[in-house]
Amino acid sequence: MFKKLIVLPSLLLGMYFNTFGQRQSVDVQHYGISLTVRDNTDKISGTAEITVRFLNSVGELRLDLVGPEIADTGMTVLKVTERSAVGHTAANGGKPGAPNSVKNVPFRQDSAAVYLTVSAGKDETHTYRIEYAGVPRDGLIISRNKFGKRTFFTDNWPDRAHHWLPCIDHPSDKAAVDFDIITPDKYTVVANGLKTQEVLMADHQKRTRYTEKAPLPTKIIAIGIAAFAVDHSADVQGIPVYSYVFPENKKQGLADYGKAGEILRFFIQQIGPFPYKKLANIQSKTIYGGMENASAIFYSEESVGFKYIEELMAHEIAHQWFGDAVTETGWEHVWLSEGFATYMTQLYLEHKYGKDTLKAELKDDRKKVIAFEKKRYTPVVDTTTKGGYTQLLNANSYQKGGWVLHMLRRQVGDSIFWKGIRSYFATYGGHNANTTDFRQVMEKVSRQDLGDFFQQWLYTPGMPELTISPSGGGLFTISQQQEHLFTFPLEYAIDDDPQIHTVQIKDRVTVINIKANHTIHIDPQINLLFEFGKGM
């Protein structure tokens, strides 16, 4: 996602984690989400049918859900039932589960979760129906837009879905999802997946259903309910592209969001097939500049007319492959989402506007990484953050992550880089991956050992801090000032000579010899993340 607009300002099978990092031996297969929203109250009525495969025998299933709080906020579970099993179980020889009568399931609830008393064996699949109600304090934002119109928008990243939905609120758990949403009939509903039904009901109500078969983590499950102007702006290789904007912003909004088709076409060509059945770009109430919900991207309500709308949209559309289809196994690997979206955006801009645009973007991002490092000295893969994961939305995850991909591209070459990117998506699309998974894919494709490269740029804090001093007679001394030595190719040019020279840096001090009385220009092509030290 884009952080809040200021100018407009390995295939994971095994243990899963709830939002507090506790191990759970379950894998959610499907969420069936039914919600009723009203205009005369912020209280919602919900039913979640959750199909769970048990990886081990357990007697209690814990689902993340914020319980009742003051002022009627939080979700109160009213009833839990279990219906017949679906799928295959070890107990019946791998055959589809036989129908069973609906039965009540004992449960208890605290401020953070609901606990179901179950009797589930290893490899069994069960479906539980949870009825609940309450006023969401977060996650589902019920408010008014800048035109004073009432709106309802989910805003789940990073682990805020459990404010309104019983779930396993962690990126490692991905599930298909269906929606059955009842609203006043004046509203339009948009959600992940394809719309399967929209019918008027009695008392000026409307029912809208969507279905998404691709597995999603809860962070990108999306429901948007508002008065919208809707446009079907393009079809790209069979993928319909839609724009949803507030009616007051119709002319400008549809023009702005109409840029999506060209962006989508570029990424499909470069990365691989679009992972979902549609792409909707939606003006919304989100705390971020943009939120990459799968097939239903939410943009800040101030995004219409935003000077950098094309860059913003490219970032969020790139996320559909990286962050959505390929989801990081845990928050510490969020660069696989944000760093990828950052650099894929820059590659789109390079494709459309030329290499100088890419260089300008990289120079600006390098300044941001240097500034961030002065405030927080930590590696890109940051395992120290426990809770409050929005703090990971920083220059390490975005700009430094993007820079790592740029340097990797330069090391392996353009064709191998794109081959690796396509292979990574083809291997892990629909699943989870971590940094090691990505490294192994790139090593296989490039036939290079990238262990040291990944270690120094992603697992080691900092970057090369260089001083470069003339030593007389055409000699220049290049010194690494930072604590940990880095190994990297340093490019330089002499005066206005177009030839690019390269020296391999690995020691504390390296001496190079050029013609006397000439000026040296370091990193003229903008290919290295580094800082000139104070001695320069």
Side-chain angles (χ1 to χ4, degrees), residues 216-229:
L216 308 179
T218 51
K219 66 173 184 169
I220 53 172
I221 289 177
I223 304 169
I225 304 169
F228 286 117

Side-chain angles (χ1 to χ4, degrees), residues 178-190:
D178 290 314
F179 303 91
D180 184 348
I181 311 297
I182 297 176
T183 68
D185 60 10
K186 65 181 180 180
Y187 293 119
T188 296
V189 177
V190 62

Side-chain angles (χ1 to χ4, degrees), residues 279-484:
L279 174 62
N281 297 280
I282 303 150
Q283 188 179 15
S284 75
K285 292 284 289 186
T286 170
I287 65 173
Y288 306 107
M291 179 60 222
E292 64 268 19
N293 307 306
S295 79
I297 299 170
F298 287 177
Y299 300 92
S300 162
E301 63 179 343
E302 302 292 348
S303 64
V304 172
F306 181 40
K307 179 179 179 181
Y308 301 105
I309 185 64
E310 187 175 33
E311 183 176 351
L312 170 61
M313 296 186 72
H315 184 102
E316 303 308 331
I317 293 172
H319 267 308
Q320 303 297 294
W321 285 265
F322 302 114
D324 292 6
V326 183
T327 306
E328 61 274 18
T329 57
W331 306 114
E332 67 271 24
H333 301 285
V334 72
W335 85 276
L336 293 172
S337 176
E338 299 302 342
F340 269 65
T342 297
Y343 192 55
M344 290 298 135
T345 298
Q346 292 169 344
L347 291 174
Y348 168 76
L349 296 175
E350 179 188 31
H351 160 77
K352 186 169 182 180
Y353 299 107
K355 294 181 180 179
D356 287 346
T357 298
L358 173 63
K359 291 178 183 179
E361 290 276 326
L362 289 168
K363 288 176 70 173
D364 185 57
D365 282 0
R366 186 162 59 190
K367 293 177 182 177
K368 293 175 181 176
V369 177
I370 292 170
F372 176 76
E373 183 181 301
K374 305 303 181 187
K375 297 183 292 185
R376 183 174 176 184
Y377 190 69
T378 184
V380 173
V381 180
D382 184 356
T383 59
T384 64
T385 301
K386 307 297 180 184
Y389 298 111
T390 53
Q391 65 186 291
L392 294 175
L393 302 182
N394 56 46
N396 261 2
S397 300
Y398 286 75
Q399 287 82 10
K400 189 173 183 179
W403 254 104
V404 170
L405 290 174
H406 180 66
M407 292 186 292
L408 178 62
R409 176 190 173 196
R410 291 298 186 238
Q411 175 159 324
V412 303
D414 278 17
S415 62
I416 294 299
F417 175 79
W418 279 116
K419 183 178 180 181
I421 292 296
R422 288 190 287 269
S423 179
Y424 175 58
F425 168 65
T427 302
Y428 291 102
H431 302 283
N432 293 85
N434 60 30
T435 302
T436 298
D437 295 323
F438 176 58
R439 174 179 61 79
Q440 290 174 343
V441 169
M442 295 304 298
E443 287 181 332
K444 182 178 180 180
V445 170
S446 68
R447 299 183 181 180
Q448 295 184 27
D449 183 348
L450 299 171
D452 290 343
F453 178 93
F454 274 67
Q455 181 63 40
Q456 70 178 10
W457 292 114
L458 293 166
Y459 293 95
T460 303
M463 69 186 77
E465 182 181 331
L466 305 180
T467 59
I468 304 175
S469 305
S471 304
L475 298 179
F476 280 82
T477 299
I478 304 170
S479 301
Q480 295 196 58
Q481 301 297 320
Q482 76 287 346
E483 178 182 355
H484 301 286

Side-chain angles (χ1 to χ4, degrees), residues 119-301:
S119 179
K122 182 178 180 180
D123 293 327
E124 290 185 356
T125 300
H126 295 257
T127 297
Y128 304 99
R129 187 175 191 270
I130 302 171
E131 300 176 27
Y132 62 100
V135 177
R137 186 170 58 85
D138 200 356
L140 176 60
I141 309 302
I142 302 173
S143 62
R144 294 186 180 275
N145 66 18
K146 63 179 182 177
F147 301 107
K149 303 296 178 61
R150 188 168 166 85
T151 61
F152 309 75
F153 287 102
T154 54
D155 206 25
N156 294 335
W157 203 96
D159 54 353
R160 294 154 59 214
H162 67 288
H163 281 275
W164 65 273
L165 174 69
C167 61
I168 294 182
D169 207 359
H170 191 274
S172 65
D173 194 284
K174 303 177 73 167
V177 59
D178 290 314
F179 303 91
D180 184 348
I181 311 297
I182 297 176
T183 68
D185 60 10
K186 65 181 180 180
Y187 293 119
T188 296
V189 177
V190 62
N192 311 105
L194 294 177
K195 185 189 296 185
T196 59
Q197 186 182 55
E198 185 178 67
V199 296
L200 295 177
M201 303 168 63
D203 299 324
H204 300 287
Q205 300 293 295
K206 181 167 66 174
R207 163 169 272 143
T208 309
R209 288 175 168 156
Y210 280 81
T211 185
E212 176 55 79
K213 295 181 180 180
L216 308 179
T218 51
K219 66 173 184 169
I220 53 172
I221 289 177
I223 304 169
I225 304 169
F228 286 117
V230 183
D231 182 42
H232 182 174
S233 62
D235 288 283
V236 180
Q237 296 193 17
I239 304 299
V241 182
Y242 301 99
S243 302
Y244 290 73
V245 300
F246 301 142
E248 296 85 350
N249 279 148
K250 180 177 179 179
K251 184 177 179 179
Q252 180 73 59
L254 296 184
D256 285 351
Y257 289 6
K259 301 177 187 295
E262 180 183 4
I263 299 168
L264 178 61
R265 189 172 292 107
F266 171 78
F267 287 134
I268 289 175
Q269 178 181 351
Q270 293 298 114
I271 303 169
F274 188 65
Y276 308 106
K277 298 297 185 182
K278 71 126 191 306
L279 174 62
N281 297 280
I282 303 150
Q283 188 179 15
S284 75
K285 292 284 289 186
T286 170
I287 65 173
Y288 306 107
M291 179 60 222
E292 64 268 19
N293 307 306
S295 79
I297 299 170
F298 287 177
Y299 300 92
S300 162
E301 63 179 343

